[in-house]
Amino acid sequence: MNHHPVLVEGDMLRLRDSSLWVVKGCYHPPEGVVAVPRVFEGRKIKRLSEAYLIVWRYYRHYMRFLPELGKVAPVIPHYEIYGCLKSLGGVVRLHENLSRLHDVALDLIKLLSGRGLECGLSGSLLGGYYTEDSDVDLVCVDQLTNSYEVLRELRDSRITENLSLSDALEEALSVSELVPSTHHVRILQRKLTQGKFRGIKYTLRVLDCGEEKEFLGPYDTNIEELVIIKLLSTSHKTPAVYRVSLLRPELARGANAHLISYRARLTELPQGTLIKGRGLIHIRYRDELLLVDFDSPNSFLEFII
């Protein structure tokens, strides 16, 4: 690539070996792009832990410790990128025998656009590895509106629908990672960023990178711990930024504590939610900032209540 386009969460990169990678997060170092494999040797990779296994086995030379993130992440050098698929503003052509899926995706984009949300395709429809059973995945940017109120209005008016119990079970079992299935099913059934539109399941990522900038490292301490936190706020956006109370371990008492996550399954958690699990804790002593991070492939949650 002769230039480095502005990339967002959900954009896809095709490398010179034909593997397809999905862009992760808001921060990218000057020399490359943080991304994980999505299609490798013709196989779709659905779990973050599986993606990292592929990276460690075949692309170990991409792994770098990024002080800004406080952890090791795969960074794709710009010279390894053969092409870029853009979620927002891109042109995507779908196979004609999937015209219904195509029509539903475009109609949902048009519907949301009319309410102030600029959206574009991501996932299998963007990458071209969709099937007749695929869902609609969209990346959206909030344009001068409260996107959650828009999503609530669409749900209340039954233009969109909640996932049924069977839909939620199918979704939770297909990507059984990080969150215990019983907890994941309950979360999925009440979400507004996931649901059904004209009978087809959809997932929305409402991007907002502005808030994350103040939380970037370098940090003074990065430790993996078993933690218990209580959410003091809620968020439907990506990254999801929650104010939290750290109940265990007893670190940096009185710190300005937050949970930040790019995982869709950790969005829309209600205020007051208790979470217990193993994750990374990042501490910046100069301003008493403490971040809880469950986006590591080794992270797991014991409960969300």
Side-chain angles (χ1 to χ4, degrees), residues 6-9 23-29 33-34 69 207-213 216 238-239 260 262:
V6 177
L7 298 170
V8 301
E9 174 97 359
V23 174
K24 301 298 290 182
C26 295
Y27 173 79
H28 305 283
V33 181
V34 179
L69 303 182
L207 300 181
D208 184 358
C209 287
E211 196 171 3
E212 185 209 46
K213 294 177 183 178
L216 291 175
T238 299
I260 296 184
Y262 280 89

mmCIF file of all heavy atoms in Angstrom, residues 6-9 23-29 33-34 69 207-213 216 238-239 260 262:
data_model
loop_
_atom_site.group_PDB
_atom_site.id
_atom_site.type_symbol
_atom_site.label_atom_id
_atom_site.label_comp_id
_atom_site.label_asym_id
_atom_site.label_seq_id
_atom_site.Cartn_x
_atom_site.Cartn_y
_atom_site.Cartn_z
ATOM 1 N N VAL A 6 -6.938 5.786 7.147
ATOM 2 C CA VAL A 6 -7.464 5.794 8.505
ATOM 3 C C VAL A 6 -8.356 4.566 8.677
ATOM 4 O O VAL A 6 -9.294 4.355 7.909
ATOM 5 C CB VAL A 6 -8.265 7.081 8.777
ATOM 6 C CG1 VAL A 6 -8.878 7.030 10.172
ATOM 7 C CG2 VAL A 6 -7.370 8.306 8.630
ATOM 8 N N LEU A 7 -8.041 3.757 9.663
ATOM 9 C CA LEU A 7 -8.752 2.495 9.861
ATOM 10 C C LEU A 7 -9.551 2.539 11.155
ATOM 11 O O LEU A 7 -9.176 3.205 12.115
ATOM 12 C CB LEU A 7 -7.761 1.334 9.917
ATOM 13 C CG LEU A 7 -6.938 1.113 8.642
ATOM 14 C CD1 LEU A 7 -5.835 0.109 8.893
ATOM 15 C CD2 LEU A 7 -7.832 0.644 7.500
ATOM 16 N N VAL A 8 -10.676 1.817 11.167
ATOM 17 C CA VAL A 8 -11.517 1.747 12.357
ATOM 18 C C VAL A 8 -11.761 0.286 12.707
ATOM 19 O O VAL A 8 -11.555 -0.616 11.888
ATOM 20 C CB VAL A 8 -12.875 2.467 12.147
ATOM 21 C CG1 VAL A 8 -12.669 3.916 11.805
ATOM 22 C CG2 VAL A 8 -13.722 1.774 11.070
ATOM 23 N N GLU A 9 -12.167 0.075 13.924
ATOM 24 C CA GLU A 9 -12.551 -1.261 14.389
ATOM 25 C C GLU A 9 -13.564 -1.859 13.414
ATOM 26 O O GLU A 9 -14.574 -1.235 13.077
ATOM 27 C CB GLU A 9 -13.182 -1.155 15.775
ATOM 28 C CG GLU A 9 -13.762 -2.442 16.313
ATOM 29 C CD GLU A 9 -12.829 -3.172 17.245
ATOM 30 O OE1 GLU A 9 -11.705 -2.681 17.470
ATOM 31 O OE2 GLU A 9 -13.231 -4.225 17.748
ATOM 32 N N VAL A 23 -9.321 -5.359 11.928
ATOM 33 C CA VAL A 23 -8.694 -4.312 12.727
ATOM 34 C C VAL A 23 -9.315 -4.295 14.124
ATOM 35 O O VAL A 23 -10.532 -4.379 14.276
ATOM 36 C CB VAL A 23 -8.864 -2.940 12.044
ATOM 37 C CG1 VAL A 23 -8.335 -1.815 12.928
ATOM 38 C CG2 VAL A 23 -8.161 -2.932 10.685
ATOM 39 N N LYS A 24 -8.459 -4.180 15.144
ATOM 40 C CA LYS A 24 -8.920 -4.191 16.528
ATOM 41 C C LYS A 24 -8.483 -2.918 17.233
ATOM 42 O O LYS A 24 -7.318 -2.520 17.188
ATOM 43 C CB LYS A 24 -8.348 -5.403 17.283
ATOM 44 C CG LYS A 24 -8.724 -6.749 16.684
ATOM 45 C CD LYS A 24 -10.211 -6.997 16.680
ATOM 46 C CE LYS A 24 -10.763 -7.221 18.062
ATOM 47 N NZ LYS A 24 -12.221 -7.502 18.047
ATOM 48 N N GLY A 25 -9.416 -2.280 17.899
ATOM 49 C CA GLY A 25 -9.098 -1.151 18.752
ATOM 50 C C GLY A 25 -8.938 0.159 18.018
ATOM 51 O O GLY A 25 -9.027 0.247 16.786
ATOM 52 N N CYS A 26 -8.677 1.203 18.788
ATOM 53 C CA CYS A 26 -8.509 2.560 18.259
ATOM 54 C C CYS A 26 -7.041 2.930 18.082
ATOM 55 O O CYS A 26 -6.702 3.699 17.191
ATOM 56 C CB CYS A 26 -9.161 3.577 19.196
ATOM 57 S SG CYS A 26 -10.957 3.427 19.332
ATOM 58 N N TYR A 27 -6.187 2.399 18.960
ATOM 59 C CA TYR A 27 -4.775 2.782 18.902
ATOM 60 C C TYR A 27 -4.000 1.871 17.960
ATOM 61 O O TYR A 27 -4.109 0.643 18.022
ATOM 62 C CB TYR A 27 -4.118 2.725 20.286
ATOM 63 C CG TYR A 27 -2.630 2.951 20.177
ATOM 64 C CD1 TYR A 27 -2.123 4.239 20.019
ATOM 65 C CD2 TYR A 27 -1.753 1.875 20.162
ATOM 66 C CE1 TYR A 27 -0.764 4.453 19.858
ATOM 67 C CE2 TYR A 27 -0.386 2.085 20.011
ATOM 68 C CZ TYR A 27 0.100 3.370 19.851
ATOM 69 O OH TYR A 27 1.441 3.577 19.678
ATOM 70 N N HIS A 28 -3.194 2.485 17.079
ATOM 71 C CA HIS A 28 -2.295 1.756 16.189
ATOM 72 C C HIS A 28 -0.963 2.491 16.146
ATOM 73 O O HIS A 28 -0.937 3.715 15.968
ATOM 74 C CB HIS A 28 -2.883 1.648 14.777
ATOM 75 C CG HIS A 28 -4.254 1.044 14.758
ATOM 76 N ND1 HIS A 28 -4.480 -0.304 14.889
ATOM 77 C CD2 HIS A 28 -5.482 1.625 14.676
ATOM 78 C CE1 HIS A 28 -5.787 -0.540 14.861
ATOM 79 N NE2 HIS A 28 -6.402 0.619 14.751
ATOM 80 N N PRO A 29 0.159 1.774 16.309
ATOM 81 C CA PRO A 29 1.463 2.441 16.279
ATOM 82 C C PRO A 29 1.771 2.946 14.868
ATOM 83 O O PRO A 29 1.171 2.484 13.895
ATOM 84 C CB PRO A 29 2.433 1.326 16.698
ATOM 85 C CG PRO A 29 1.736 0.057 16.333
ATOM 86 C CD PRO A 29 0.272 0.320 16.531
ATOM 87 N N VAL A 33 -0.569 -1.827 12.043
ATOM 88 C CA VAL A 33 -1.976 -1.854 12.436
ATOM 89 C C VAL A 33 -2.208 -3.026 13.381
ATOM 90 O O VAL A 33 -1.792 -4.163 13.098
ATOM 91 C CB VAL A 33 -2.886 -2.013 11.194
ATOM 92 C CG1 VAL A 33 -4.355 -2.021 11.605
ATOM 93 C CG2 VAL A 33 -2.614 -0.913 10.181
ATOM 94 N N VAL A 34 -2.864 -2.775 14.501
ATOM 95 C CA VAL A 34 -3.242 -3.851 15.418
ATOM 96 C C VAL A 34 -4.439 -4.593 14.814
ATOM 97 O O VAL A 34 -5.476 -4.000 14.525
ATOM 98 C CB VAL A 34 -3.608 -3.296 16.805
ATOM 99 C CG1 VAL A 34 -4.029 -4.439 17.739
ATOM 100 C CG2 VAL A 34 -2.434 -2.522 17.405
ATOM 101 N N LEU A 69 -0.928 0.239 25.216
ATOM 102 C CA LEU A 69 -1.984 -0.705 25.579
ATOM 103 C C LEU A 69 -1.627 -1.515 26.815
ATOM 104 O O LEU A 69 -2.496 -2.183 27.390
ATOM 105 C CB LEU A 69 -2.273 -1.656 24.408
ATOM 106 C CG LEU A 69 -2.669 -1.012 23.080
ATOM 107 C CD1 LEU A 69 -2.958 -2.089 22.039
ATOM 108 C CD2 LEU A 69 -3.890 -0.103 23.247
ATOM 109 N N LEU A 207 -19.085 3.021 17.253
ATOM 110 C CA LEU A 207 -17.710 3.394 17.549
ATOM 111 C C LEU A 207 -17.611 4.762 18.211
ATOM 112 O O LEU A 207 -18.301 5.698 17.818
ATOM 113 C CB LEU A 207 -16.871 3.400 16.267
ATOM 114 C CG LEU A 207 -16.773 2.087 15.489
ATOM 115 C CD1 LEU A 207 -15.889 2.283 14.266
ATOM 116 C CD2 LEU A 207 -16.239 0.969 16.366
ATOM 117 N N ASP A 208 -16.720 4.867 19.187
ATOM 118 C CA ASP A 208 -16.423 6.150 19.823
ATOM 119 C C ASP A 208 -15.032 6.047 20.440
ATOM 120 O O ASP A 208 -14.873 5.583 21.567
ATOM 121 C CB ASP A 208 -17.464 6.483 20.883
ATOM 122 C CG ASP A 208 -17.250 7.860 21.499
ATOM 123 O OD1 ASP A 208 -16.267 8.525 21.122
ATOM 124 O OD2 ASP A 208 -18.045 8.270 22.359
ATOM 125 N N CYS A 209 -14.019 6.461 19.669
ATOM 126 C CA CYS A 209 -12.639 6.343 20.128
ATOM 127 C C CYS A 209 -12.189 7.527 20.975
ATOM 128 O O CYS A 209 -11.101 7.499 21.560
ATOM 129 C CB CYS A 209 -11.695 6.191 18.926
ATOM 130 S SG CYS A 209 -11.797 4.570 18.136
ATOM 131 N N GLY A 210 -12.998 8.568 21.042
ATOM 132 C CA GLY A 210 -12.575 9.785 21.724
ATOM 133 C C GLY A 210 -12.256 9.591 23.188
ATOM 134 O O GLY A 210 -11.287 10.149 23.712
ATOM 135 N N GLU A 211 -13.065 8.786 23.871
ATOM 136 C CA GLU A 211 -12.909 8.636 25.328
ATOM 137 C C GLU A 211 -11.667 7.827 25.690
ATOM 138 O O GLU A 211 -11.079 8.011 26.758
ATOM 139 C CB GLU A 211 -14.160 7.978 25.912
ATOM 140 C CG GLU A 211 -14.286 8.127 27.418
ATOM 141 C CD GLU A 211 -15.631 7.647 27.934
ATOM 142 O OE1 GLU A 211 -16.444 7.144 27.132
ATOM 143 O OE2 GLU A 211 -15.859 7.774 29.140
ATOM 144 N N GLU A 212 -11.260 6.919 24.799
ATOM 145 C CA GLU A 212 -10.149 6.016 25.117
ATOM 146 C C GLU A 212 -8.812 6.739 25.248
ATOM 147 O O GLU A 212 -7.942 6.311 26.018
ATOM 148 C CB GLU A 212 -10.046 4.937 24.026
ATOM 149 C CG GLU A 212 -9.002 3.886 24.341
ATOM 150 C CD GLU A 212 -8.400 3.264 23.096
ATOM 151 O OE1 GLU A 212 -8.045 3.996 22.154
ATOM 152 O OE2 GLU A 212 -8.286 2.033 23.082
ATOM 153 N N LYS A 213 -8.633 7.844 24.525
ATOM 154 C CA LYS A 213 -7.325 8.501 24.451
ATOM 155 C C LYS A 213 -6.758 8.853 25.814
ATOM 156 O O LYS A 213 -5.551 8.732 26.057
ATOM 157 C CB LYS A 213 -7.428 9.753 23.578
ATOM 158 C CG LYS A 213 -7.729 9.451 22.119
ATOM 159 C CD LYS A 213 -7.899 10.738 21.318
ATOM 160 C CE LYS A 213 -8.262 10.428 19.874
ATOM 161 N NZ LYS A 213 -8.492 11.680 19.078
ATOM 162 N N LEU A 216 -4.851 5.792 27.630
ATOM 163 C CA LEU A 216 -3.717 5.078 27.052
ATOM 164 C C LEU A 216 -2.488 5.172 27.953
ATOM 165 O O LEU A 216 -2.310 6.135 28.706
ATOM 166 C CB LEU A 216 -3.381 5.638 25.671
ATOM 167 C CG LEU A 216 -4.409 5.380 24.558
ATOM 168 C CD1 LEU A 216 -3.988 6.090 23.285
ATOM 169 C CD2 LEU A 216 -4.582 3.888 24.308
ATOM 170 N N THR A 238 -18.362 1.119 21.478
ATOM 171 C CA THR A 238 -17.083 0.440 21.375
ATOM 172 C C THR A 238 -15.989 1.491 21.216
ATOM 173 O O THR A 238 -16.063 2.286 20.278
ATOM 174 C CB THR A 238 -17.062 -0.514 20.163
ATOM 175 O OG1 THR A 238 -18.079 -1.507 20.319
ATOM 176 C CG2 THR A 238 -15.717 -1.185 20.032
ATOM 177 N N PRO A 239 -14.977 1.543 22.072
ATOM 178 C CA PRO A 239 -14.852 0.665 23.240
ATOM 179 C C PRO A 239 -15.874 1.008 24.317
ATOM 180 O O PRO A 239 -16.235 2.178 24.478
ATOM 181 C CB PRO A 239 -13.432 0.953 23.732
ATOM 182 C CG PRO A 239 -13.173 2.361 23.305
ATOM 183 C CD PRO A 239 -13.870 2.514 21.988
ATOM 184 N N ILE A 260 -12.381 -1.080 30.432
ATOM 185 C CA ILE A 260 -12.453 -0.759 29.000
ATOM 186 C C ILE A 260 -12.418 -2.057 28.221
ATOM 187 O O ILE A 260 -11.560 -2.914 28.466
ATOM 188 C CB ILE A 260 -11.294 0.155 28.557
ATOM 189 C CG1 ILE A 260 -11.382 1.507 29.256
ATOM 190 C CG2 ILE A 260 -11.301 0.331 27.053
ATOM 191 C CD1 ILE A 260 -10.345 2.499 28.797
ATOM 192 N N TYR A 262 -13.257 -3.881 24.117
ATOM 193 C CA TYR A 262 -13.693 -3.853 22.719
ATOM 194 C C TYR A 262 -14.551 -5.063 22.380
ATOM 195 O O TYR A 262 -14.945 -5.230 21.231
ATOM 196 C CB TYR A 262 -12.472 -3.809 21.794
ATOM 197 C CG TYR A 262 -11.886 -2.423 21.658
ATOM 198 C CD1 TYR A 262 -10.920 -1.974 22.540
ATOM 199 C CD2 TYR A 262 -12.323 -1.562 20.661
ATOM 200 C CE1 TYR A 262 -10.386 -0.704 22.431
ATOM 201 C CE2 TYR A 262 -11.800 -0.288 20.543
ATOM 202 C CZ TYR A 262 -10.834 0.137 21.431
ATOM 203 O OH TYR A 262 -10.316 1.401 21.313
#
